[in-house]
Amino acid sequence: MKNYDYIILGTGPAGYRLAQLLANTGKSLLAVEGGLFGGTCPNVGCEPKIFLSGAVHTARASQQLVGRGIAQPAQLDWDQLMVTKKARFDSWPAETKAIYEKMCDVAVGYGQFVDSHTIEVAGHRYHGDKIIIATGHRPHRLAIPGSQYGHDSSDVLSLAHRPDQAVFIGGGYVGIELATFLAAAGTKVEILIRSDRILRGFYAKYAQAMVDAMEQQGVKFHFHTSATKIEPHEGKYLVTTNQGTQLATDYVVDASGRVPNTEKLDLPAAGITFSKHGIDVDDHLQTNVPGVYAIGDITSQKLPKLTPVAELEANYLYHQFEKGATAPVHYPTIGTAVFAFPEIAQVGISPDQAGDEYHIEERNLSGGSLYAGLNEQEAKLTLVYDSTDHLVGASEIGASAADDINNLVPVIGLKISRTDWERHVLPIYPALADKVAGLLKK
């Protein structure tokens, strides 16, 4: 059995960043991967998603401008777009594996705990002084009859041919984004929502505005509706719902959420505490077992499951392991977004969470020349101020919401006042950043 200073389970953004840092320390390091090298983000997540989003946004933006300077709107060719996407991304897992093999030792297979500091991979056992679990999340699959006929987000992001009809089950950010993409390409999309709203965690008013916008794009929503069965029928699929209805479709997408990759780890063998939400960690990202840590989407922490958060945690562990840092992990102000069309983005305190001690203002952005020129009639920005008139939260809906909110992340995180902004910053005009001073209180 070979001994290592560090064993990292998982090669996604969290594991990759930590391996990069530890590879330069001279310590022995083993990286373990049973799936795609690089994990979800670069293969079947944020990277291919934003790649596809570029074409989708361009097509939708041109359609908004018909009669306002655009004579012929762009038409999205899904099959061609997917060929272009595959040419860019299909080689990434092998390329990432080659990078790892230059950085450290690699074990291909799923790591399973034998005891608190020993893992087994493909019949071989390894001991690690420190073991870091970074195995991430995967798509949840509904436990209903016919679930095997459903597809997940990974399938959609590699779908070679566009279906004429698609039913999505779930209204989280993954389902909304992918439904937007297929609808833009011409697929007739219907979405089953088990509650009364989509995008929980985002500002409810803008989530409803997203529904309105998608309905105008031809998407049909079924609220208070869940799937109870999927079955083949005359070359299509029938989705039976709790409302007693049946929807005929060519393609079914199970977008019912994501779950932590814990079951193959045999965590009980190591005595590691975990739940359906993930692995429990303390404020130093250590599990209840000394010397065993967890970072990224696999943890049970109530944080956005985002690549930057995973990489931040990797940086933190490196400084703890190799630089003697002892302070608890600190999470900065975190911005999040849904890359549909329009986009929804937010940072800080949501207007839904703001109590009486906060002051809320909504700004209609459509009057500005930038948004008017793009025919962004529904672009809106809601701001949350505290009792000292400092900006503490912002939510936006609009085609450029993610970029716009990114202008406000440092304002909130650094507690920048209007005086500070005007003294130190002179942004590009005309763009939202130029208007930020007007959003800050004196």
Side-chain angles (χ1 to χ4, degrees), residues 265-333:
L265 294 169
D266 195 4
L267 297 173
I272 297 171
T273 302
F274 69 103
S275 69
K276 66 178 182 179
H277 303 295
I279 296 173
D280 298 333
V281 294
D282 63 15
D283 58 6
H284 286 69
L285 301 179
Q286 184 171 240
T287 70
N288 63 302
V289 176
V292 179
Y293 301 78
I295 56 176
D297 293 357
I298 193 66
T299 76
S300 62
Q301 298 183 99
K302 293 182 179 180
L303 291 166
K305 304 300 184 181
L306 302 171
T307 291
V309 175
E311 292 175 337
L312 178 149
E313 292 176 340
N315 288 334
Y316 169 79
L317 280 192
Y318 167 72
H319 283 89
Q320 181 186 152
F321 294 161
E322 295 293 325
K323 301 296 182 181
T326 59
V329 62
H330 168 71
Y331 294 96
T333 300

Side-chain angles (χ1 to χ4, degrees), residues 79-392:
D79 292 10
Q80 185 183 72
L81 176 61
M82 196 56 61
V83 168
T84 308
K85 175 260 176 186
K86 289 183 177 181
R88 176 176 175 83
F89 290 98
D90 281 4
S91 63
W92 283 24
E95 292 171 358
T96 305
K97 181 174 182 286
I99 293 171
Y100 265 97
E101 288 171 338
K102 292 179 181 179
M103 290 194 298
C104 61
D105 289 350
V106 171
V108 177
Y110 292 99
Q112 182 180 36
F113 279 91
V114 176
D115 57 42
S116 60
H117 283 271
T118 305
I119 63 164
E120 182 171 307
V121 186
H124 299 282
R125 292 191 175 186
Y126 308 93
H127 178 273
D129 292 340
K130 288 185 173 64
I131 297 179
I132 302 92
I133 307 169
T135 48
H137 269 191
R138 70 180 187 283
H140 173 265
R141 300 308 295 263
L142 290 167
I144 60 174
S147 61
Q148 69 271 23
Y149 300 117
H151 300 272
D152 60 28
S153 57
S154 300
D155 299 325
V156 178
L157 288 170
S158 297
L159 182 60
H161 305 293
R162 175 187 65 79
D164 290 332
Q165 299 170 300
V167 169
F168 280 75
I169 304 170
Y173 74 94
V174 172
I176 295 302
E177 289 173 343
L178 297 181
T180 297
F181 294 175
L182 280 177
T187 297
K188 179 184 176 182
V189 173
E190 299 186 64
I191 306 179
L192 309 185
I193 310 295
R194 65 179 181 178
S195 65
D196 60 350
R197 61 163 291 183
I198 66 171
L199 299 175
R200 293 195 175 276
F202 287 86
Y203 185 23
K205 180 178 180 179
Y206 291 168
Q208 181 57 50
M210 176 72 79
V211 170
D212 297 340
M214 292 180 70
E215 287 179 336
Q216 291 176 12
Q217 296 165 14
V219 176
K220 185 175 182 180
F221 287 86
H222 302 268
F223 289 98
H224 300 290
T225 304
S226 56
T228 58
K229 183 170 63 173
I230 307 169
E231 57 188 324
H233 180 71
E234 297 181 353
K236 291 181 177 289
Y237 297 96
L238 281 182
V239 180
T240 303
T241 76
N242 63 328
Q243 301 291 345
T245 57
Q246 288 188 319
L247 304 177
T249 187
D250 301 313
Y251 199 77
V252 181
V253 182
D254 184 345
S256 56
R258 297 184 67 81
V259 293
N261 287 316
T262 56
E263 57 286 312
K264 292 180 180 179
L265 294 169
D266 195 4
L267 297 173
I272 297 171
T273 302
F274 69 103
S275 69
K276 66 178 182 179
H277 303 295
I279 296 173
D280 298 333
V281 294
D282 63 15
D283 58 6
H284 286 69
L285 301 179
Q286 184 171 240
T287 70
N288 63 302
V289 176
V292 179
Y293 301 78
I295 56 176
D297 293 357
I298 193 66
T299 76
S300 62
Q301 298 183 99
K302 293 182 179 180
L303 291 166
K305 304 300 184 181
L306 302 171
T307 291
V309 175
E311 292 175 337
L312 178 149
E313 292 176 340
N315 288 334
Y316 169 79
L317 280 192
Y318 167 72
H319 283 89
Q320 181 186 152
F321 294 161
E322 295 293 325
K323 301 296 182 181
T326 59
V329 62
H330 168 71
Y331 294 96
T333 300
I334 301 170
T336 59
V338 180
F339 291 95
F341 191 90
E343 296 173 350
I344 292 181
Q346 66 184 31
V347 61
I349 297 173
S350 166
D352 290 328
Q353 301 168 332
D356 294 339
E357 69 271 28
Y358 295 99
H359 173 63
I360 299 173
E361 294 181 6
E362 184 174 72
R363 307 293 179 94
N364 188 333
L365 301 175
S366 63
S369 296
L370 173 65
Y371 300 92
L374 296 171
N375 197 21
E376 282 287 309
Q377 297 179 5
E378 302 302 321
K380 292 182 174 62
L381 171 66
T382 295
L383 305 162
V384 180
Y385 300 95
D386 66 13
S387 59
T388 65
D389 274 340
H390 273 83
L391 186 66
V392 294

Side-chain angles (χ1 to χ4, degrees), residues 368-371 374 400 404 407 427-436:
S369 296
L370 173 65
Y371 300 92
L374 296 171
S400 59
D404 289 351
N407 289 310
I428 294 171
Y429 172 86
L432 182 70
D434 173 72
K435 301 177 183 178
V436 168

